[in-house]
Amino acid sequence: MTTLVEEPTRRRASWTVVAVVVAILGAELVLGWQSLLGALAHLRAPHLGWLAAALLAETAAMQAYARMQRRLLRSAGVRVPLRRHVALAYAAHSLSVSLPGGPAFSTALNYRQMRRFGASPAIASWCIALSGILSAAALAAITLFSTATAGDTADWHTLAALAVAVVLATLGVRRLARHPGRLAALLTVVNRLRQRPADHGRDRVQDFLEQLRVARLTPGHGAAAITFALLNWLLDALCLWLCCVAVGGGTISTGQLLLAFCAGMAAGSLPIVPGGLGIIDGALILGLITGGMTTAVAIAAVVLYRLVTLGFIIGLGWLSYLAIRRIA
């Protein structure tokens, strides 16, 4: 129970934190006032044609992610119209980036909808997991390309680890489905540690493995899924470049742009605040400035890019979520 002495102390601590945050923001505002004014001047008159192209690029990026998941489900025999996959991609993305703990809500929505698509629990779980691995591996590959073209030293260990994870996830599913006895032996050991009967949960495990037998990622579906995973990130990066061009910052090299983009996306992978607000933005701005942009143009480009990705795309995502709830 909180004592009368602790309550004023907590209030003073809260006000101290607020005062520190306000002081930091105020200092940043004073120091960056001129750059902010320059950014607003660039942002007031973006080229509408390039802005429209940026919107199209971002919607194409969402389409690519939806097509990746569609290919994975089709490899397991689950066929669903593309529009339903696109609606799910938008809705899940909006939940992921706009809610505290969003990735958990996004995963739950993906699982429920894939079950409604006709996927078994095992196939839905496999598709969600492999989608995440493929997406991470694609971003790592683009990062390596950008560091190589920008003249930096590439970290090949990251890409190698993700590539191995993709292969192991696919081969592991097939091996366990074909040899369920190996997992049964592991289950016996786990039950012994938990002081449960040796066959506890064996029926559920065997049923799960039977469902996974249909998860056969053929070379054709696998290549298509990898291609769409790459296109998802590349089209997103294209949106950023088009926003740069719209405010007069199109002189940045491809390698430097991709390096800034990958840095921003990597920073945003830490689920500290919804949408990576402030984290992604700061990394993108620093990356663009390092690539040769002026501070004002870099800020304007990132603000415009975030308006597209956080305003337009998330708005469509919440509309898709409401449509899915209405159908369900």
Side-chain angles (χ1 to χ4, degrees), residues 75-167:
S75 70
V78 180
R79 296 179 178 272
V80 182
L82 178 60
R83 58 182 174 79
R84 297 187 66 183
H85 277 284
V86 172
L88 176 58
Y90 273 96
H93 175 71
S94 291
L95 289 180
S96 178
V97 302
S98 60
L99 293 178
F105 291 104
S106 174
T107 300
L109 177 66
N110 267 310
Y111 181 82
R112 290 196 304 268
Q113 289 304 307
M114 288 181 185
R115 293 284 288 119
R116 290 193 177 102
F117 291 169
S120 66
I123 294 302
S125 302
W126 170 79
C127 180
I128 293 170
L130 194 53
S131 295
I133 294 173
L134 287 177
S135 185
L139 182 61
I142 295 170
T143 303
L144 291 179
F145 172 81
S146 64
T147 54
T149 54
D152 295 329
T153 303
D155 181 12
W156 295 100
H157 299 89
T158 302
L159 182 60
L162 289 168
V164 169
V166 173
V167 173

Side-chain angles (χ1 to χ4, degrees), residues 189-209:
V189 175
V190 172
N191 284 332
R192 188 179 303 161
L193 294 173
R194 297 174 62 198
Q195 298 182 350
R196 300 286 180 85
D199 60 348
H200 179 75
R202 183 170 296 178
D203 291 340
R204 291 196 299 272
V205 170
Q206 289 179 345
D207 180 61
F208 191 83
L209 290 175

